[in-house]
Coordinates of all heavy atoms in Angstrom, one line a residue:
E1 N 19.3 19.4 46.3 CA 19.4 20.6 45.4 C 18.2 20.7 44.6 O 17.7 21.8 44.4 CB 20.7 20.4 44.5 CG 20.9 21.6 43.6 CD 21.2 22.9 44.3 OE1 21.7 22.8 45.5 OE2 20.9 23.9 43.8
L2 N 17.6 19.6 44.1 CA 16.4 19.7 43.3 C 15.3 20.2 44.1 O 14.5 21.1 43.6 CB 16.1 18.3 42.7 CG 14.8 18.2 41.9 CD1 14.8 19.2 40.7 CD2 14.5 16.8 41.4
T3 N 15.1 19.7 45.3 CA 14.0 20.2 46.2 C 14.2 21.7 46.5 O 13.2 22.4 46.4 CB 14.0 19.4 47.5 OG1 14.0 18.0 47.2 CG2 12.8 19.8 48.3
R4 N 15.4 22.1 46.7 CA 15.7 23.5 47.0 C 15.3 24.4 45.8 O 14.6 25.4 46.0 CB 17.2 23.7 47.3 CG 17.5 25.1 47.8 CD 19.0 25.3 48.0 NE 19.5 24.5 49.2 CZ 20.2 23.4 49.2 NH1 20.6 22.9 48.0 NH2 20.5 22.8 50.3
K5 N 15.6 23.9 44.6 CA 15.2 24.7 43.4 C 13.7 24.7 43.2 O 13.2 25.7 42.6 CB 15.9 24.1 42.2 CG 17.4 24.3 42.1 CD 18.0 23.7 40.9 CE 19.5 23.9 40.9 NZ 20.2 23.2 39.7
K6 N 13.0 23.7 43.7 CA 11.5 23.7 43.5 C 10.8 24.6 44.5 O 9.6 24.9 44.2 CB 11.0 22.2 43.8 CG 11.4 21.2 42.7 CD 10.5 21.4 41.5 CE 10.8 20.4 40.4 NZ 10.0 20.6 39.2
C7 N 11.5 25.1 45.5 CA 10.8 26.0 46.5 C 10.7 27.4 45.9 O 11.6 27.9 45.1 CB 11.6 26.0 47.8 SG 11.7 24.4 48.7
D8 N 9.6 28.1 46.3 CA 9.4 29.5 45.9 C 10.4 30.4 46.7 O 10.9 31.4 46.1 CB 8.0 29.9 46.1 CG 7.0 29.1 45.3 OD1 7.2 29.1 44.0 OD2 6.1 28.4 45.8
F9 N 10.6 30.1 48.0 CA 11.4 30.9 48.8 C 12.2 30.0 49.8 O 11.7 28.9 50.2 CB 10.6 31.9 49.6 CG 9.9 32.9 48.8 CD1 8.6 32.8 48.5 CD2 10.6 34.1 48.4 CE1 7.9 33.7 47.7 CE2 10.0 35.0 47.6 CZ 8.6 34.9 47.3
L10 N 13.3 30.4 50.2 CA 14.1 29.7 51.2 C 14.3 30.6 52.4 O 14.6 31.8 52.2 CB 15.5 29.3 50.7 CG 15.5 28.3 49.5 CD1 16.9 28.1 49.0 CD2 14.9 26.9 49.9
V11 N 14.1 30.1 53.6 CA 14.3 30.9 54.8 C 15.1 30.1 55.8 O 15.0 28.9 55.8 CB 13.0 31.4 55.4 CG1 12.2 32.3 54.5 CG2 12.1 30.3 55.8
R12 N 15.8 30.8 56.7 CA 16.5 30.1 57.8 C 15.7 30.4 59.1 O 15.1 31.5 59.2 CB 17.9 30.5 57.9 CG 18.2 31.9 58.4 CD 19.7 32.2 58.5 NE 19.9 33.5 59.1 CZ 19.8 34.7 58.5 NH1 19.5 34.8 57.2 NH2 19.9 35.8 59.2
I13 N 15.9 29.6 60.1 CA 15.2 29.8 61.3 C 16.1 30.6 62.3 O 15.7 31.5 63.0 CB 14.7 28.5 62.0 CG1 13.6 27.9 61.2 CG2 14.3 28.7 63.4 CD1 13.0 26.7 61.7
C14 N 17.4 30.2 62.3 CA 18.3 30.9 63.2 C 19.7 30.7 62.6 O 19.9 30.0 61.6 CB 18.3 30.3 64.6 SG 18.6 28.5 64.6
A15 N 20.7 31.3 63.3 CA 22.1 31.3 62.8 C 22.7 29.9 62.9 O 23.5 29.5 62.0 CB 22.9 32.3 63.6
G16 N 22.2 29.1 63.9 CA 22.7 27.8 64.1 C 21.8 26.8 63.4 O 21.2 27.1 62.3
S17 N 21.7 25.6 64.0 CA 20.8 24.6 63.4 C 19.9 24.0 64.5 O 20.2 24.0 65.7 CB 21.6 23.5 62.8 OG 22.4 22.8 63.7
L18 N 18.7 23.6 64.1 CA 17.8 23.0 65.0 C 17.5 21.6 64.5 O 17.6 21.3 63.3 CB 16.4 23.8 65.0 CG 16.4 25.1 65.7 CD1 15.0 25.7 65.5 CD2 16.7 24.9 67.2
N19 N 17.1 20.7 65.4 CA 16.6 19.4 65.0 C 15.4 19.6 64.1 O 14.6 20.6 64.2 CB 16.1 18.7 66.3 CG 15.4 17.4 66.0 OD1 14.2 17.4 65.7 ND2 16.1 16.3 66.0
V20 N 15.2 18.7 63.1 CA 14.2 18.9 62.0 C 12.8 19.0 62.6 O 12.0 19.8 62.2 CB 14.3 17.9 61.0 CG1 14.0 16.5 61.5 CG2 13.4 18.2 59.8
S21 N 12.5 18.2 63.7 CA 11.2 18.3 64.3 C 11.0 19.6 65.0 O 9.9 20.2 64.9 CB 11.0 17.1 65.2 OG 11.9 17.2 66.3
N22 N 12.0 20.2 65.6 CA 11.9 21.5 66.3 C 11.7 22.6 65.2 O 10.9 23.5 65.4 CB 13.1 21.8 67.1 CG 13.2 20.9 68.3 OD1 12.2 20.4 68.8 ND2 14.4 20.6 68.8
A23 N 12.4 22.4 64.1 CA 12.3 23.4 63.0 C 10.9 23.4 62.5 O 10.3 24.5 62.2 CB 13.3 23.1 61.9
A24 N 10.3 22.3 62.3 CA 8.9 22.2 61.8 C 8.0 22.9 62.7 O 7.1 23.7 62.3 CB 8.5 20.7 61.6
A25 N 8.1 22.7 64.0 CA 7.2 23.3 65.0 C 7.4 24.8 65.0 O 6.4 25.6 65.0 CB 7.5 22.8 66.4
V26 N 8.6 25.3 64.9 CA 8.9 26.8 64.9 C 8.2 27.4 63.7 O 7.6 28.4 63.7 CB 10.4 27.1 65.0 CG1 10.6 28.5 64.7 CG2 10.9 26.7 66.4
A27 N 8.4 26.7 62.5 CA 7.9 27.3 61.3 C 6.4 27.3 61.3 O 5.7 28.3 60.8 CB 8.4 26.5 60.1
L28 N 5.8 26.2 61.7 CA 4.3 26.2 61.8 C 3.8 27.2 62.7 O 2.7 27.8 62.5 CB 3.9 24.8 62.2 CG 4.0 23.7 61.1 CD1 3.8 22.3 61.8 CD2 3.0 23.9 60.0
F29 N 4.5 27.4 63.8 CA 4.0 28.5 64.8 C 4.1 29.8 64.1 O 3.2 30.7 64.3 CB 4.9 28.4 66.0 CG 4.5 29.5 67.0 CD1 3.4 29.4 67.9 CD2 5.3 30.7 67.1 CE1 3.1 30.4 68.8 CE2 5.0 31.7 68.0 CZ 3.9 31.5 68.8
A30 N 5.2 30.1 63.4 CA 5.4 31.4 62.7 C 4.3 31.6 61.7 O 3.9 32.8 61.4 CB 6.8 31.4 62.1
L31 N 3.8 30.6 61.1 CA 2.7 30.7 60.1 C 1.3 31.0 60.7 O 0.4 31.4 60.0 CB 2.6 29.5 59.2 CG 3.8 29.3 58.2 CD1 3.7 27.9 57.6 CD2 3.7 30.3 57.1
R32 N 1.2 30.8 62.0 CA -0.1 30.8 62.6 C -0.8 32.2 62.4 O -2.0 32.3 62.2 CB 0.0 30.6 64.1 CG -0.3 29.2 64.5 CD -0.4 29.0 65.9 NE -1.8 28.7 66.4 CZ -2.1 28.4 67.6 NH1 -1.1 28.4 68.6 NH2 -3.3 28.1 68.0
G33 N 0.0 33.3 62.5 CA -0.6 34.6 62.4 C -0.7 35.1 61.0 O -1.1 36.3 60.8

């Protein structure tokens, strides 16, 4: 909860859930452009 409050924005990747390492890769790819 504290970490969540420290974030400027919260986003989800998909309706379900991904393994944390897969989520990191998807988010880093999305930031590339």
Side-chain angles (χ1 to χ4, degrees):
E1 185 61 27
L2 176 59
T3 308
R4 187 182 289 108
K5 289 178 179 178
K6 289 283 184 182
C7 293
D8 297 304
F9 296 97
L10 299 173
V11 297
R12 70 178 189 279
I13 289 182
C14 57
S17 61
L18 288 176
N19 172 278
V20 64
S21 62
N22 293 333
V26 171
L28 287 166
F29 178 79
L31 287 171
R32 262 188 113 175

